[in-house]
Amino acid sequence: EPEVTQTPSHQVTQMGQEVILRCVPISNHLYFYWYRQILGQKVEFLVSFYNNEISEKSEIFDDQFSVERPDGSNFTLKIRSTKLEDSAMYFCASSAPGQGARGNEQFFGPGTRLTVL
Amino acid sequence: QKEVEQDPGPLSVPEGAIVSLNCTYSNSAFQYFMWYRQYSRKGPELLMYTYSSGNKEDGRFTAQVDKSSKYISLFIRDSQPSDSATYLCAMNQAGTALIFGKGTTLSVSS
C-alpha cells in the first residue's frame, strides 16, 4: 500500500543552524501538509501546499520556515535558524485531489524527530 | 474555549471490552471528522473518516458524529491488546488544516 515517507527519522542540530526535513508524499496526491507535535502536546498544523504554492499556513509558520517541492516527488520543510522550542516531531501528510470526502483524507508519514540543542 | 477537546485518559480496559472515545468541538463549520491511531513516536494512522452527521462502521470500529451536539465518538468492540495506542480525533472543513484533539491513551490488558 502506498505510504508517505520521511527522512531523516531523527535529526539533532545546534541552535541557530538550518535544517531541512524531507518528505515523499503518496505519488498521485496533490495536496501536501506539514504538522508538528511537541512532546506531550497536540498535533499542530504548520502549512499546506498545492499547485506549487502555500494554500494555508498557521501562526507558527513564520519567516523562519519555508517549504518547497524541488522535484516531482519530494516535499521539504526548511527551518532557517532553529530555536530550542522547534524541538518536536514533524509530520508530513498528503491527500488526493477529488470531490467531497474522499479527497479530504490526509495520510501521515512516520515523522522526523527534531532535537535542537 | 478550545476548538477540539478530548479527554487524555489514560483509559485502561480488559481485553474484550467495548471502548468509547469521545471529542467535543466548538466550530460548527467543521464537516469532516476523523479518528487517527498513533503508536508511541510514530505517525498518526487514519482509522475512520466521516462526513457530516451519522454513523460509520468498519470491522470492530464504529464512528459516530452528532453535529447538533458538536460531539463525536469512536467505539471499539472486542478490544485487543494491539489496540493499545493513543487515539486522536481530528476535524476540518474541506481541504483545510486538520484540527486535532490532544489524544486519548488507551491500554488494553490481556
Side-chain angles (χ1 to χ4, degrees):
Chain A
E1 184 160 335
E3 57 184 19
V4 177
T5 60
Q6 291 185 242
T7 54
S9 58
H10 188 195
Q11 174 89 48
V12 181
T13 190
Q14 296 290 325
M15 191 169 55
Q17 295 296 303
E18 175 182 287
V19 294
I20 297 176
L21 310 182
R22 291 182 167 78
C23 168
V24 179
I26 294 171
S27 63
N28 66 333
H29 285 188
L30 297 181
Y31 298 86
F32 313 117
Y33 311 85
W34 284 101
Y35 292 81
R36 78 172 185 191
Q37 186 176 32
I38 294 170
L39 190 63
Q41 297 189 25
K42 290 184 179 186
V43 175
E44 300 174 291
F45 169 74
L46 292 177
V47 66
S48 59
F49 192 85
Y50 170 70
N51 200 25
N52 281 320
E53 61 183 28
I54 290 172
S55 48
E56 186 182 2
K57 62 181 180 179
S58 72
E59 291 176 355
I60 303 168
F61 193 87
D62 61 21
D63 293 344
Q64 293 299 312
F65 292 88
S66 62
V67 289
E68 192 178 31
R69 187 150 163 84
D71 53 43
S73 59
N74 290 283
F75 180 52
T76 62
L77 174 70
K78 182 193 290 186
I79 308 175
R80 197 161 296 119
S81 176
T82 49
K83 307 183 189 71
L84 295 175
E85 55 265 36
D86 294 328
S87 295
M89 283 287 282
Y90 287 81
F91 296 109
C92 174
S94 68
S95 64
Q99 299 296 324
R102 179 58 59 181
N104 196 47
E105 296 174 49
Q106 296 182 25
F107 296 89
F108 281 70
T112 293
R113 182 153 62 102
L114 177 65
T115 302
V116 181
L117 302 176
Chain B
Q1 185 181 10
K2 295 178 184 175
E3 272 202 290
V4 178
E5 300 218 41
Q6 185 176 9
D7 186 342
L11 182 61
S12 296
V13 301
E15 183 175 356
I18 296 174
V19 175
S20 172
L21 305 168
N22 311 293
C23 288
T24 59
Y25 63 95
S26 57
N27 188 347
S28 57
F30 289 144
Q31 299 168 291
Y32 300 93
F33 304 91
M34 291 136 239
W35 287 94
Y36 285 84
R37 179 172 61 196
Q38 187 178 29
Y39 294 110
S40 181
R41 293 183 178 269
K42 302 292 184 185
E45 173 196 4
L46 184 61
L47 268 183
M48 298 288 285
Y49 184 95
T50 312
Y51 171 65
S52 194
S53 284
N55 293 359
K56 184 175 183 179
E57 189 173 321
D58 184 2
R60 296 185 295 110
F61 298 89
T62 300
Q64 287 185 352
V65 175
D66 181 350
K67 288 193 74 179
S68 62
S69 302
K70 299 192 185 70
Y71 187 87
I72 70 170
S73 302
L74 178 70
F75 298 96
I76 307 173
R77 288 183 299 281
D78 187 24
S79 55
Q80 303 295 309
S82 58
D83 295 328
S84 298
T86 297
Y87 290 80
L88 310 173
C89 64
M91 51 200 75
N92 67 350
Q93 302 174 63
T96 63
L98 288 176
I99 307 299
F100 282 84
K102 197 168 183 183
T104 300
T105 300
L106 172 67
S107 176
V108 181
S109 56
S110 56

